[in-house]
Amino acid sequence: MKSFFKYVLATITGIVISTFILLAIFVGIITSMVSSVGSSKEAVVAKNSVLYLSLNFPITDRTEPNPFGDLSIPGYGNVKSLGLNDIVGRIRGAKEDSNIKGIYLNPTTIQTGFSSLQAIRDALLDFKSSGKFIYAYSDVYSQKAYYLASVADKIYVNPQGSLDFRGLASSVMFMKDALDKIGVEMQVIKVGTYKSAVEPFLMNQMSDANRLQVNSYLNSIYSQFLTDISDNRNIAVDSLKSIANNYLIRNADDALTYKFVDGVKYKDELLAEFREKLGIDAKKDIPTVSILDYTPTENVSSSSERIAVLYAYGSIVDGEGVVGEIGGDKFSRELRKLRLDDRVKAVVLRVNSGGGSGLASEIIWREVSLLKAVKPVIVSMGDYAASGGYYIAAAADSIFADETTLTGSIGVFGVIPNLQGLLNNKLGLNFDVVKTGKFADVGADPDKPLSAEEKAIYQIEVNRFYDLFMKRVADGRKISIAQVDSIGQGRVWTGQQALGLGLVDKIGGIDQAIAAAAKKANLDSYKISNYPSVDDTFSSILSTSKEKIKLWFIEDEIGEYHKYLKSYKDILNQTGIQAKIPYTVEIY
């Protein structure tokens, strides 16, 4: 017995000691990470420096807190990235920085939408207005990369490289046959001829209505794309169309022949030209700072009056949501705080969302309406402000969009999976139910298809929400419900098209929206404050979920294709009535 207690005591002691050791190691790791991140020094910008931009990371609307960004993870390097707000801000800062003499633009593939791309391009054009140079060089230019590079003073490509220029395309993945094979039926209830978010579940190709709208907005974006390149490369739009239609540029020599680039060079030749331009000895390194590390000097206003910029990007979801989502509860609370904060004199709501939960959209809309009643609210639209994204924007005093913003999509739908074929026929699983009412098991029994009566009930609710959606737009835009319905029905428009339809007020970016907010609030001097607030380093580490860490690694492994995985997960997590853009619009 003594021996038994001795072993038990030894085991308990070992567990306690092991726990303390593991706890000490964990605290040490966290402390080291906090110390590493918190003490990271700003990059020193030497005189005669070049700012380096590759933009080879997913670009969100705002830089997301990432406590591991400065850590070098074995096998992965670092996972640092920047949001559109900081990319534009740092280019603007470099324009005023006397140590920065020019920009080295090194794009290949760019993971963002055309509206964000246009914002970066405009910032580069503004940088050039200072008289500083921009050189672009790449081994391979995608179409988005070339669109950005076309602002440069000199564009170079590797002699054995390539430049992609063949027109824009948009494709959709359809799942009907795959769902049929596994015995899954997606029961869809929707309103809107063009509300095609559900088509991938029901069809193997686009409907005529969907093809019409995709063709319309794609050509609108293409027109802007060609016009901007034409302006900077001095090549007629008709010539650009002909080059693309006939696929005349397939290699570096073709790009030079058609004046898309100014020369073909190897990297060492490019660096030699940099040294000559900067007056640097051939044996010395070129002073370079990456935009990821560059921190420009900011001129912060001392004014006590503020314009708040509230960033709302990602899917609209019920509850709190996470970083990169617009949680109905979280954002309604943020709007409420801004309404009650006397220091905040106006609010710019930056929307970059294809929508999501109808209920969450309504909850946010309510707070936007209450805010508008006491102070100016201006909306700035990003790549998307469609469906639920447009819903939350509709109540604003004024709406700004870029030419290539995808907006509208005023329509709603609901999807209820019927797994009878999969569970009963494929897996041999059967369910039985006892209920106290005729409709007690509606939507709860996975192997029971909806009856005609049940579908009719759901359709009534979807119709009701569509009527509410139209009323919100009609009231906010001061037009009739009939007019909203005529341009609604789920149809997607570009910002340029939406301007003519009365869905937006002006073409412009976030800077123009801020200026409009200041004017409406009669502010001559003000400080810009960004919301929601960003967690400090330690809080970010503690709040970083296992899911988020996995996503970082997945993004590093599969690059831009991670968005298909995220889109699939979003579909699985959908509940209730959805006000959402048709699938994920991919333009390449």
Side-chain angles (χ1 to χ4, degrees):
M1 184 62 70
K2 287 182 180 180
S3 175
F4 171 75
F5 282 116
K6 180 174 74 175
Y7 286 124
V8 169
L9 181 60
T11 301
I12 293 174
T13 303
I15 292 171
V16 171
I17 293 173
S18 298
T19 301
F20 274 111
I21 291 173
L22 290 173
L23 181 61
I25 292 172
F26 175 75
V27 171
I29 292 172
I30 294 295
T31 303
S32 174
M33 292 167 73
V34 172
S35 175
S36 172
V37 177
S39 64
S40 59
K41 296 180 180 178
E42 296 178 1
V44 176
V45 182
K47 291 181 179 180
N48 227 17
S49 286
V50 173
L51 182 66
Y52 174 74
L53 278 75
S54 68
L55 305 180
N56 60 343
F57 46 80
I59 299 172
T60 54
D61 223 40
R62 184 187 184 191
T63 302
E64 295 182 354
N66 178 4
F68 308 107
D70 288 318
L71 296 177
S72 183
I73 301 172
Y76 290 91
N78 64 46
V79 286
K80 188 183 288 188
S81 63
L82 286 180
L84 178 64
N85 63 324
D86 280 330
I87 292 171
V88 171
R90 294 182 187 193
I91 293 172
R92 187 179 295 128
K95 175 188 174 185
E96 307 300 330
D97 191 335
S98 60
N99 289 328
I100 299 288
K101 300 303 180 184
I103 287 177
Y104 169 25
L105 187 59
N106 182 219
T108 300
T109 57
I110 300 183
Q111 302 172 51
T112 193
F114 272 96
S115 177
S116 295
L117 199 60
Q118 195 172 6
I120 298 170
R121 196 174 186 278
D122 288 344
L124 291 171
L125 285 169
D126 180 60
F127 176 89
K128 276 180 65 177
S129 69
S130 67
K132 298 182 179 183
F133 68 86
I134 300 178
Y135 278 18
Y137 177 86
S138 185
D139 296 327
V140 177
Y141 289 98
S142 66
Q143 295 197 104
K144 285 184 177 180
Y146 183 73
Y147 176 69
L148 195 62
S150 64
V151 306
D153 299 286
K154 296 287 185 182
I155 305 176
Y156 297 121
V157 64
N158 186 299
Q160 302 307 316
S162 63
L163 190 154
D164 191 12
F165 194 81
R166 48 199 163 84
L168 303 183
S170 180
S171 65
V172 183
M173 181 176 69
F174 290 87
M175 296 173 274
K176 181 183 182 302
D177 283 352
L179 293 172
D180 287 346
K181 286 181 179 179
I182 62 173
V184 174
E185 176 197 11
M186 301 301 270
Q187 303 170 107
V188 171
I189 297 93
K190 69 164 186 167
V191 176
T193 303
Y194 299 94
K195 199 65 181 177
S196 49
V198 295
E199 285 189 359
F201 306 134
L202 307 176
M203 306 172 69
N204 290 321
Q205 61 185 17
M206 296 182 192
S207 66
D208 291 341
N210 188 22
R211 189 174 297 278
L212 174 67
Q213 76 166 343
V214 173
N215 186 63
S216 176
Y217 69 65
L218 188 63
N219 275 287
S220 178
I221 292 171
Y222 190 42
S223 177
Q224 187 66 43
F225 173 80
L226 294 176
T227 299
D228 288 344
I229 292 173
S230 174
D231 289 345
N232 287 105
R233 294 302 298 175
N234 197 27
I235 305 172
V237 169
D238 286 344
S239 295
L240 292 173
K241 285 183 180 178
S242 177
I243 291 167
N245 290 344
N246 294 288
Y247 203 4
L248 297 178
I249 297 178
R250 296 187 292 274
N251 54 52
D253 289 335
D254 294 336
L256 184 61
T257 298
Y258 290 100
K259 300 181 180 179
F260 271 55
V261 300
D262 298 289
V264 292
K265 289 180 183 287
Y266 287 104
K267 187 70 169 286
D268 61 290
E269 294 175 305
L270 173 73
L271 296 178
E273 185 169 337
F274 269 131
R275 288 190 177 91
E276 182 180 350
K277 188 170 186 65
L278 296 169
I280 297 173
D281 187 89
K283 294 183 179 180
K284 290 187 177 179
D285 291 333
I286 300 168
T288 305
V289 59
S290 169
I291 195 169
L292 291 169
D293 302 317
Y294 177 60
T295 305
T297 302
E298 292 186 79
N299 295 319
V300 180
S301 172
S302 59
S303 175
S304 60
E305 297 181 322
R306 298 182 183 179
I307 291 179
V309 178
L310 177 61
Y311 285 89
Y313 63 94
S315 295
I316 299 174
V317 299
D318 297 318
E320 292 295 312
V322 297
V323 173
E325 291 180 335
I326 306 169
D329 291 345
K330 178 178 180 177
F331 274 82
S332 62
R333 186 169 59 250
E334 290 288 336
L335 288 160
R336 194 176 309 123
K337 288 178 182 177
L338 296 177
R339 171 163 52 90
L340 299 175
D341 190 338
D342 292 335
R343 297 170 300 173
V344 174
K345 304 302 180 183
V347 176
V348 172
L349 178 59
R350 172 67 176 186
V351 180
N352 199 343
S353 172
S357 164
L359 177 58
S361 300
E362 168 70 9
I363 289 170
I364 295 170
W365 171 89
R366 170 67 178 174
E367 286 297 333
V368 173
S369 300
L370 293 174
L371 177 61
K372 177 187 171 184
V374 295
K375 56 188 73 173
V377 180
I378 309 296
V379 162
S380 168
M381 293 180 167
D383 294 323
Y384 303 93
S387 207
Y390 190 81
Y391 197 118
I392 67 176
D397 290 292
S398 185
I399 298 175
F400 285 73
D402 288 318
E403 291 93 342
T404 55
T405 295
L406 293 180
T407 188
S409 191
I410 301 166
V412 294
F413 68 90
V415 179
I416 302 169
N418 169 26
L419 307 181
Q420 186 179 58
L422 173 63
L423 298 176
N424 297 173
N425 303 333
K426 305 286 186 182
L427 301 179
L429 299 176
N430 294 279
F431 296 80
D432 201 359
V433 64
V434 176
K435 55 186 179 179
T436 60
K438 182 178 180 181
F439 300 108
D441 62 336
V442 174
D445 196 344
D447 69 338
K448 175 180 172 292
L450 294 174
S451 67
E453 189 176 8
E454 290 166 346
K455 284 183 179 178
I457 291 171
Y458 278 114
Q459 189 67 60
I460 289 170
E461 290 306 303
V462 169
N463 291 348
R464 182 190 65 79
F465 197 87
Y466 180 58
D467 290 341
L468 178 63
F469 194 167
M470 288 195 295
K471 185 178 188 309
R472 297 301 187 224
V473 175
D475 291 346
R477 302 304 301 166
K478 297 179 174 53
I479 56 179
S480 69
I481 287 178
Q483 188 176 348
V484 175
D485 192 34
S486 70
I487 57 179
Q489 293 290 322
R491 181 155 182 176
V492 178
W493 308 96
T494 63
Q496 189 65 58
Q497 293 171 326
L499 179 65
L501 297 170
L503 290 175
V504 305
D505 296 292
K506 291 184 179 180
I507 297 298
I510 193 168
D511 289 341
Q512 287 76 27
I514 292 171
K519 182 177 180 180
K520 192 166 182 63
N522 296 314
L523 296 177
D524 294 321
S525 176
Y526 53 87
K527 178 181 179 181
I528 298 173
S529 298
N530 295 326
Y531 298 87
S533 58
V534 177
D535 290 337
D536 59 59
T537 301
F538 188 71
S539 299
S540 294
I541 291 172
L542 295 181
S543 64
T544 299
S545 66
K546 179 179 72 174
E547 190 74 15
K548 185 68 176 177
I549 294 171
K550 284 196 300 184
L551 186 59
W552 284 332
F553 289 123
I554 290 171
E555 287 179 5
D556 187 87
E557 285 295 325
I558 64 176
E560 61 178 318
Y561 298 106
H562 81 277
K563 55 181 169 279
Y564 297 114
L565 176 62
K566 185 177 186 303
S567 183
Y568 175 71
K569 292 186 70 175
D570 286 345
I571 291 169
L572 294 180
N573 292 332
Q574 285 178 182
T575 58
I577 294 173
Q578 297 292 305
K580 198 165 187 177
I581 198 170
Y583 41 82
T584 301
V585 177
E586 290 297 324
I587 299 173
Y588 52 87

